[in-house]
Amino acid sequence: MWINANLSQINAKDTVVLANNRQVLAFKKSYALQHKNTQLPKVLSWNQYLKNTWIALNSSAKNRFIDSVESRYLIMQSLEELGVKAQQQLLDEVVKNYDYCANHLIHLSELSNTKLQFSELFSTWINHYQQYKAKLNLVDLNDLPSLIINTKQKPRAPIVYGFKTLTPLQQLVFDTIGHQTLTAK
């Protein structure tokens, strides 16, 4: 896979954000082909970008980042503390819906007032998980966008490529910190 774009204006000081890891590899190959013996820019997937940006902006942060495995474990612990037998299928659905809500800017308070039993239950579970994280000074991938947006020091505007459509969260982050869009030839 190759990136079908003019990469001549990109240099080693730039940060390029791509939709997924496969595109990251394709970008690196394409860039190396177009720029022989030149240092690569920082090329990251969306998730890598969030984590690297948060670390760079919060080098002295009191919170510790947890990866998806640790996050799943804590969600499972939260469910069990609330008396729910956390089977794998339920855990998968809770994680998927938690990510969906974060990416589409759906607040848990909206779900808790829907009068739909599952929405209210889901909201209770995730609120408990959020409290659990706060008590342990932990942040997960879904916490990073708001932390990046609300920091006093803004990161350098990245170059964005490869997203069919930005999620509302991605759009909010990129609109807040600024960005350039790399277009295909």
Side-chain angles (χ1 to χ4, degrees):
M1 184 170 142
W2 301 98
I3 299 296
N4 187 21
N6 181 1
L7 308 179
S8 62
Q9 301 300 316
I10 299 173
N11 63 51
K13 295 178 184 175
D14 291 323
T15 300
V16 180
V17 181
L18 297 133
N20 58 52
N21 290 331
R22 198 173 64 202
Q23 289 178 349
V24 168
L25 294 173
F27 184 93
K28 288 179 179 181
K29 285 182 187 177
S30 300
Y31 188 85
L33 191 64
Q34 290 184 26
H35 296 84
K36 306 259 190 251
N37 300 323
T38 303
Q39 182 181 351
L40 283 170
K42 188 180 277 189
V43 184
L44 305 164
S45 68
W46 166 249
N47 291 348
Q48 292 168 332
Y49 175 74
L50 290 176
K51 184 177 177 186
N52 286 5
T53 302
W54 177 74
I55 289 170
L57 295 174
N58 298 291
S59 58
S60 63
K62 65 178 180 168
N63 294 331
R64 183 177 74 81
F65 176 77
I66 57 173
D67 63 20
S68 61
V69 173
E70 292 171 302
S71 176
R72 287 178 65 86
Y73 178 77
L74 289 179
I75 290 173
M76 184 181 70
Q77 289 295 108
S78 292
L79 290 172
E80 289 177 357
E81 281 185 18
L82 293 169
V84 177
K85 188 172 190 295
Q87 297 174 343
Q88 191 64 37
Q89 187 176 5
L90 175 63
L91 183 59
D92 292 345
E93 286 300 312
V94 170
V95 169
K96 181 177 79 173
N97 288 313
Y98 173 52
D99 291 342
Y100 183 87
C101 288
N103 283 309
H104 290 85
L105 304 175
I106 300 169
H107 297 281
L108 293 176
S109 60
E110 294 174 41
L111 296 176
S112 63
N113 297 323
T114 62
K115 306 293 186 228
L116 298 172
Q117 185 179 6
F118 183 75
S119 293
E120 292 176 351
L121 199 52
F122 172 77
S123 177
T124 301
W125 295 341
I126 296 302
N127 275 324
H128 189 269
Y129 165 67
Q130 297 285 21
Q131 292 168 2
Y132 206 72
K133 284 189 316 182
K135 184 171 65 173
L136 298 172
N137 293 324
L138 303 173
V139 294
D140 65 18
L141 193 62
N142 291 327
D143 297 321
L144 299 185
S146 64
L147 295 172
I148 291 168
I149 288 170
N150 294 322
T151 187
K152 292 177 184 163
Q153 179 186 356
K154 295 297 179 206
R156 185 172 179 203
I159 299 168
V160 177
Y161 180 80
F163 293 85
K164 288 181 184 175
T165 304
L166 295 173
T167 66
L169 178 64
Q170 291 167 334
Q171 190 70 54
L172 177 64
V173 170
F174 290 139
D175 286 349
T176 302
I177 65 174
H179 71 286
Q180 299 173 7
T181 302
L182 182 64
T183 55
K185 289 183 190 177

